[in-house]
Amino acid sequence: MSSSYSCQEWFEYARRDLRVAVFLQGMHPIPIGIICYHCSQAAEKMLKGALAAAGQEPPKTHDLVMLCELCGERYKEYSTILKQCAELTPYGVQTRYPSHEELIEQDMKDALRQCQEVCEFVECSITLEEEPEQGQKEAPGMAPMSL
């Protein structure tokens, strides 16, 4: 995908990934790795949507920390979600292939929470209607994101 996709298109794809992650919790056995993967994907697409909103071509990467830092160059306070991005980044690749690393249910719960926090933060930072200060928008507190 490229910046020819709008911010809202990126956000819609992110919401779909998050809805899939939530839905998959009802499976037995619970596909923990796949849920973590969709959480990483949702956060990635939200960050790419923020870049598209700023008129920047989102880079082809699964590195959420890098995407968050790029967003931080355009919007204030993105450093507040760096930890969540760092935790979610490995799930974008490691869960797609056989691995000896065991994920447990707490990993999945953490990934869902972190994903929700990233998605809500990004969406709030983009929908803010205030004028940018020194080339950056102020990011407000998080509001619930509808699934």
Side-chain angles (χ1 to χ4, degrees):
M1 295 184 157
S2 69
S3 67
S4 62
Y5 292 94
S6 72
C7 166
Q8 291 307 318
E9 288 171 307
W10 280 109
F11 285 3
E12 180 54 35
Y13 273 84
R15 287 184 197 104
R16 289 178 189 173
D17 275 312
L18 184 52
R19 283 193 301 265
V20 166
V22 170
F23 176 80
L24 291 175
Q25 291 179 90
M27 291 183 68
H28 298 285
I30 299 172
I32 294 171
I34 295 170
I35 291 170
C36 291
Y37 169 76
H38 281 287
C39 289
S40 178
Q41 286 294 292
E44 177 183 327
K45 290 168 186 164
M46 288 300 287
L47 292 166
K48 288 182 177 182
L51 292 172
Q56 180 175 344
E57 176 84 21
K60 293 181 180 182
T61 183
H62 300 298
D63 185 343
L64 304 184
V65 172
M66 182 182 89
L67 291 170
C68 185
E69 288 171 344
L70 288 171
C71 289
E73 294 172 7
R74 284 146 187 81
Y75 306 97
K76 283 187 176 181
E77 299 179 13
Y78 267 68
S79 61
T80 62
I81 58 168
L82 271 172
K83 182 177 185 278
Q84 292 92 327
C85 291
E87 294 288 328
L88 290 168
T89 293
Y91 300 137
V93 178
Q94 86 181 32
T95 58
R96 297 187 312 174
Y97 304 103
S99 171
H100 296 289
E101 184 170 338
E102 281 292 318
L103 296 174
I104 60 172
E105 196 167 331
Q106 188 60 49
D107 295 321
M108 174 195 72
K109 290 177 182 178
D110 291 343
L112 285 162
R113 178 185 44 77
Q114 292 159 348
C115 176
Q116 185 80 28
E117 290 170 358
V118 170
C119 291
E120 290 172 356
F121 181 90
V122 171
E123 195 162 40
C124 287
S125 75
I126 300 305
T127 58
L128 184 68
E129 296 181 28
E130 293 179 8
E131 288 294 313
E133 291 181 347
Q134 301 172 351
Q136 294 185 329
K137 292 184 179 180
E138 186 80 33
M142 293 184 255
M145 183 176 117
S146 60
L147 295 177

